[in-house]
Every structure is written in structure tokens, then in C-alpha cells.
Amino acid sequence: MLHQLTSNPLFGLILSIFIYLLGVRLYERFPKPWATPLLVATIAIILILKVTGISYKDYYQGGSYLNTLIAPSTVALGIPLYKTFHLMKHHARSIILGIGIGTIINTVITALLAKAFGLKQVVALSIFPKSVTTAMAIGISEKMHGVLTITLVVVVATGILTSVIGAELLKWFHIDDPVAKGIALGATGHAIGTGKAMEIGRVEGAMAGLSIGVTGIMYVIFAPIAAQVILGS
């Protein structure tokens, strides 16, 4: 009986939406980084599947439907970007230069840490596109001959971590400029970080949405170079 219920695609879909809405209510009551809805929902669903013995395969039949919303939601970020297009033109040089330098530092540090901790080459290559949105990260990982499962895990983990502590770190370093805040959250936490940026403000959300595409392009250029020079792959 339970298997018939959980194997229905609607089960995973309804469970995901329900748990996330509970996370939203919790965050409204306790607006703290640890109560971020996505983090709460992720942990809660893992615990539910573990305790009940429901297989991830059964859950994912419905949960996978939510993945189809990634592409249209990313495209929808063009709306706030269009409304703040004047800011993009005004800060174009700073945006491209900032994301470019950030990408170089990010890829170099990733490669150095992977080498320092003795990670297998295939694992090291898989974690390179951790700050790129899912669709682009898959392409980069395939090009670098990484493992897609590992790539997807680190991409989601990076996005959640950015959503949870990104805004707090910006406050800690006294970064108040909305353009800088948006670029930092979007370039580091891709779509999930952009969602957090949109909570903060319209300009932050638009700049974060812009940074997703620019960061992806930068990673396509610099990730293979860093891997070749540092890892010898």
C-alpha cells in the first residue's frame, strides 16, 4: 500500500511543495540563516525518506518535475534585468572584470584544494563548476569528463550555502552596494543565490540574474585552463 502511494509521481511533487511551504512559514517566524526554506526542506525530506524507508527513486519520480522549472525560472530573471538595464550598462566593465577575477580565483583555489586533499582527478574535475547554474554545470562537467552526480551535489550544496550565509557575510564585510551584493550572490550561488538576492531587493536580484550567465561563460573559459595547469588533466 505504501509503495503504491510513494511510487505515484504526485507523491514526490506534493511532498516537496508541502515541506517547502512549511519551511517558508518557519522562516517567516524565525528569519534566521539556519531557517532558510530550501535548507529546511532539503534536510526535512532527507529525514523523511530515511525514517520511512521510502526510496529516493520513488520520491524523485515526482520531485523531478520541479527540475523542469529551472530553465523557465532562469529565463524569467530577464524581467528584473530588463527593468534595471541602465545599471548593467553603467557597471558593465566592473561586472565583467569582477566576475572574471572571481572565477579565476575560484577555479584556482578549487584545483589547489583538490590537489592538497589528494582527491582523485575525476572527483576534482567534477567539483569545478560548483558555482554555475545546473544546466551549465552539467555541460562543463561533461566537457571536463567529470561525474555528473558529484557535480549536481556540489552545485546544490554551494547554492544552499550561499543562500544561508551569503547575505550575512556581505553584512559582515560592510558591502552595501546593491550591484555588488547581487553580483556576489549570483556569481557564487547561481539560481539559488539569485533567489536570495531577489529577497533583498530588485537591483540585487537583477544583477544576480545577470551574473549567472556571465559566470557560466567565464567558467567555460577558465575551468579547463586551471584544471590543465594545476591538475595536469
Side-chain angles (χ1 to χ4, degrees), residues 125-152 155 215-221 223-224:
L125 295 175
S126 302
I127 66 176
F128 261 87
K130 59 186 174 56
S131 293
V132 184
T133 193
T134 306
M136 301 183 76
I138 291 174
I140 295 173
S141 182
E142 289 178 339
K143 180 181 178 181
M144 298 178 66
H145 305 292
V147 179
L148 294 186
T149 304
I150 297 176
T151 299
L152 292 175
V155 166
T215 301
I217 294 172
M218 295 293 183
Y219 264 83
V220 169
I221 297 172

Side-chain angles (χ1 to χ4, degrees), residues 74-205:
T74 303
V75 173
L77 295 173
I79 297 175
L81 178 59
Y82 173 76
K83 293 180 178 179
T84 54
F85 190 70
H86 62 287
L87 288 174
M88 185 183 73
K89 292 193 297 182
H90 182 70
H91 297 282
R93 184 179 299 178
S94 299
I95 291 171
I96 295 174
L97 184 61
I99 293 178
I101 293 174
T103 299
I104 293 173
I105 293 174
N106 203 336
T107 52
V108 169
I109 290 178
T110 299
L112 291 175
L113 288 176
K115 192 169 185 178
F117 283 98
L119 295 182
K120 293 182 179 180
Q121 191 172 43
V122 67
V123 176
L125 295 175
S126 302
I127 66 176
F128 261 87
K130 59 186 174 56
S131 293
V132 184
T133 193
T134 306
M136 301 183 76
I138 291 174
I140 295 173
S141 182
E142 289 178 339
K143 180 181 178 181
M144 298 178 66
H145 305 292
V147 179
L148 294 186
T149 304
I150 297 176
T151 299
L152 292 175
V153 169
V154 296
V155 166
V156 173
T158 300
I160 292 176
L161 187 62
T162 301
S163 177
V164 171
I165 68 172
E168 297 301 317
L169 285 176
L170 292 173
K171 289 180 182 178
W172 193 55
F173 285 105
H174 304 291
I175 298 176
D176 301 318
D177 183 77
V179 174
K181 289 163 69 175
I183 292 298
L185 291 172
T188 304
H190 44 84
I192 301 176
T194 298
K196 183 64 177 181
M198 295 183 75
E199 292 180 13
I200 299 174
R202 181 170 60 92
V203 174
E204 288 87 344

Side-chain angles (χ1 to χ4, degrees), residues 18-30:
F18 178 71
I19 296 298
Y20 182 79
L21 291 177
L22 287 181
V24 171
R25 294 295 298 272
L26 179 66
Y27 186 72
E28 289 174 349
R29 187 168 183 179
F30 305 101

